[in-house]
Amino acid sequence: NASLNAHLVALASETERARKWAQLAQAPTGPELVNLTGAWASRGRTANLTAAGHVMLANNNLDALPAGFCATTGPTLIALTLRDNRLTSLSQDIAALKNIRLLDLGGNKLQDFPRVLCLLGRSLEVLCLDRNLLCQVRLAPSDFGLMVRLHTLHLGTNALDCIPTAITALTALKSLSLAGNHITTLPDCFAKMTSLRWLDLSNNPLRDTAPTVHLPCLYAIAEAHVYGSTFAESCAW
C-alpha cells in the first residue's frame, strides 16, 4: 500500500541509516487508510473505523487510546500510527488488535517496554518505540518469545544504558535500531542473534572492544552502523 510505505519512509527522513531501516520494515499491503493525524478531536468520533486497515492517530495529544477504539478496529486493523502523542502506558485493550502487523509508538513518553505488546506477538511484525523515554526493558525471554513474527524493532533515541539480554528471544528479528541511547557495551548473549540483517548502534558511548568480539559472530548481518561511537573507526562491515 502506497500510503503505508510512504509513512515508513517518512519515519526515516532524518538520516540515511534510518532510511535503510524503513526499507527493511516491509509494510503490510492493501489496508484501507483512515488518516486522523491531528484531527481526532474534530473528526475521530464520527469517523467510520469498522473497516479500517491502517489508522493514523499521530499528533493528537493523546494520553491513552480512545475508548472503544481497539474493540472497534480489532477485526480489520493491521497498521496503527500513534506517533507523537503523550502516551505513558498502554492498556490491556490493545490486545484486541489480533491482526496488527505494524505499530508505531514513536515520540511518546513511555518509560518501559509495555509488556502488553507481547500479547500481539502472533501478528506483530514491525514495532517502533523510538523517541520515547525508555530507560529499561523489564521483560523475560518468555515475554519476548511470544513475539514470534517481529522482524523489525526500532528502539532508537531513548535512555537505554544496556541491551536487555531477553531480546535474544526475538528469533525472527532482522532489523534492530538502538541508535542514540546510552549503551556502553554489548552483552555476551548478543552473539546469538544470528537472524539479524541490519543493526544500528550509532551514537552510543560504546567504549570497549566487545563489538569486535560479538558482531563478527552475527555471520548473517548485511549492514551495521556504529557512527558516533568511540571505537567506530576500528570496526568495518
Side-chain angles (χ1 to χ4, degrees), residues 92 95 97-98 115-123 146-147:
Q92 293 288 323
L97 304 180
K98 298 295 187 181
R115 181 174 276 103
V116 68
L117 295 180
C118 299
L119 300 179
L120 307 176
R122 293 190 177 277
S123 62
L146 297 173
M147 307 180 83

Side-chain angles (χ1 to χ4, degrees), residues 57-72:
L57 289 175
N59 294 296
N60 276 295
N61 206 33
L62 297 173
D63 56 16
L65 279 169
F69 174 85
C70 294
T72 300

Side-chain angles (χ1 to χ4, degrees), residues 38-235:
W40 177 258
S42 60
R43 296 194 290 116
R45 290 173 176 78
T46 59
N48 183 4
L49 301 176
T50 56
H54 180 196
V55 177
M56 300 182 71
L57 289 175
N59 294 296
N60 276 295
N61 206 33
L62 297 173
D63 56 16
L65 279 169
F69 174 85
C70 294
T72 300
T73 61
T76 60
L77 196 66
I78 63 174
L80 175 59
T81 304
L82 285 163
R83 200 167 191 83
D84 296 322
N85 282 289
R86 297 189 297 113
L87 299 172
T88 59
S89 63
L90 297 175
S91 73
Q92 293 288 323
D93 293 347
I94 203 169
L97 304 180
K98 298 295 187 181
N99 299 304
I100 195 78
R101 293 171 58 190
L102 183 151
L103 181 58
D104 183 359
L105 292 162
N108 280 281
K109 298 182 182 298
L110 299 168
Q111 296 185 32
D112 204 351
F113 195 110
R115 181 174 276 103
V116 68
L117 295 180
C118 299
L119 300 179
L120 307 176
R122 293 190 177 277
S123 62
L124 191 62
E125 298 177 3
V126 178
L127 176 60
C128 308
L129 287 165
D130 58 297
R131 292 197 304 109
N132 274 275
L133 303 173
L134 299 179
C135 56
Q136 57 187 338
V137 178
R138 294 181 294 185
L139 295 183
S142 58
D143 294 320
F144 273 128
L146 297 173
M147 307 180 83
V148 294
R149 299 187 63 180
L150 191 71
H151 63 70
T152 300
L153 178 59
H154 196 350
L155 295 174
T157 317
N158 278 286
L160 298 171
D161 58 10
C162 65
I163 300 172
T165 57
I167 205 171
T168 59
L170 296 172
T171 55
L173 197 65
K174 295 181 179 180
S175 179
L176 174 63
S177 174
L178 289 161
N181 280 283
H182 307 310
I183 297 166
T184 59
T185 189
L186 301 183
D188 291 340
C189 64
F190 202 65
K192 299 177 182 178
M193 300 187 69
T194 54
S195 64
L196 279 179
R197 301 293 186 274
W198 192 87
L199 174 65
D200 191 352
L201 290 166
S202 300
N203 298 312
N204 278 285
L206 291 162
R207 60 172 181 255
D208 63 15
T209 59
T212 63
V213 175
H214 297 313
L215 290 182
C217 296
L218 307 180
Y219 57 86
I221 203 165
E223 186 172 346
H225 298 274
V226 291
Y227 307 126
S229 301
T230 56
F231 64 89
E233 295 181 359
S234 66
C235 298

